Amino acid sequence: MASSVQVVIAGKPELSMTFTLYNAPQSTCSQRVRFVLNAKRLPFDEVKLNLLEGDQLKPEYLKLNPNGVVPTLDHDGAIIIDSTVITEYLDEISPDDTFTPKDPVERAHMRTLMHYIDEMPAPAVRVPTFNLAFLPSFQKMSRDAFVAMAESKPLRREFMLTMGQTGFPKADMDAALARLRRTYERMDAEIERSGGPWLLGKEITLADVAVMPSMVRIHDLGMPDWQDLPRVVTWFDNIRAHPAFRPTFYHGSLLSERFPHLREKASA
Ligand SMILES: N[C@@H](CCC(=O)N[C@@H](CS)C(=O)NCC(=O)O)C(=O)O
């Protein structure tokens, strides 16, 4: 059963709304959306897709999201895809506890950072994620099954074929980690500019939400390369202390909770 909630739309009477989120517990893009829904206390039903088994590539799901990725939000039958678009959408239809600065210049700055995050850490974090967490599952597949699976992905075909069943080479891992390091340095500079504690100053915004899951992922993989940047250390502590954090990262949302070989590696 879908949950119902009263949401105020600016200039319109209150409407009853239901939200269904098609997502995956461990998906960083899904975690952005769950965080905003939880922070705004918007009840939602969660449809959990198994990404390793290819639920996101089934014809009925591709009708909702032709990119074959999660998340997808169904809001009273309106289908919204792409995590940053969904978080902006939720902030527009439910303006209480806003994540968007009022000042248009600051709002533009927030969107600039969201684009940067989707260009830099979000793709970079996939390289260590796939090499360290998912590769063992792909290595169990026959070559033909692996290529067929990769070729069925609308958005990630070339990514999967480049990784192959041996994983990304060291040069790609190093490049991804360097891009992540530049992200932490950029965050540090942004927090210094704004006065912090968040990227744009005193209030948390959608830019903080956008970068959060990549940081949580890297921390979970045991590679938090920001310990020499105290502003970023404080930012990370603050976001983990946010009331929306725990319900977003329920058990099974961290890769180390799902893949025992990662725990073994971390404790080695
Ligand atoms: N730009 C999209 C990217 C979505 C995306 O890459 N989702 C990943 C999980 S974080 C996914 O569904 N991967 C499935 C696959 O690679 O087949 C968004 O932000 O929603």
Side-chain angles (χ1 to χ4, degrees), residues 172-236:
D172 289 358
M173 271 290 262
D174 290 348
L177 295 177
R179 284 164 74 80
L180 286 161
R181 173 66 198 184
R182 297 212 300 281
T183 301
Y184 316 143
E185 288 167 0
R186 174 69 177 270
M187 290 176 71
D188 185 51
E190 294 291 338
I191 299 168
E192 186 178 25
R193 179 200 74 93
S194 72
W198 302 108
L199 293 174
L200 278 105
K202 290 196 173 23
E203 306 296 337
I204 187 170
T205 72
L206 293 178
D208 297 287
V209 177
V211 76
M212 166 204 61
S214 298
M215 308 285 286
V216 173
R217 168 63 48 82
I218 285 296
H219 186 263
D220 188 36
L221 292 175
M223 307 167 146
D225 184 16
W226 58 78
Q227 305 305 344
D228 58 325
L229 303 170
R231 281 181 281 262
V232 180
V233 171
T234 303
W235 178 95
F236 192 62

Side-chain angles (χ1 to χ4, degrees), residues 107-161:
R107 208 179 309 151
H109 191 65
M110 176 189 82
R111 292 189 176 123
T112 299
L113 287 180
M114 289 166 80
H115 281 272
Y116 174 86
I117 291 159
D118 268 355
E119 183 110 2
M120 286 282 282
V125 86
R126 284 189 203 115
V127 175
T129 295
F130 276 69
N131 260 15
L132 299 174
F134 300 150
L135 193 58
S137 313
F138 299 133
Q139 285 174 329
K140 290 190 191 118
M141 299 169 82
S142 71
R143 176 75 191 150
D144 286 352
F146 176 79
V147 171
M149 179 269 295
E151 287 185 343
S152 71
K153 289 183 186 259
L155 224 57
R156 296 286 144 69
R157 183 174 311 177
E158 291 74 16
F159 174 85
M160 294 299 289
L161 292 172

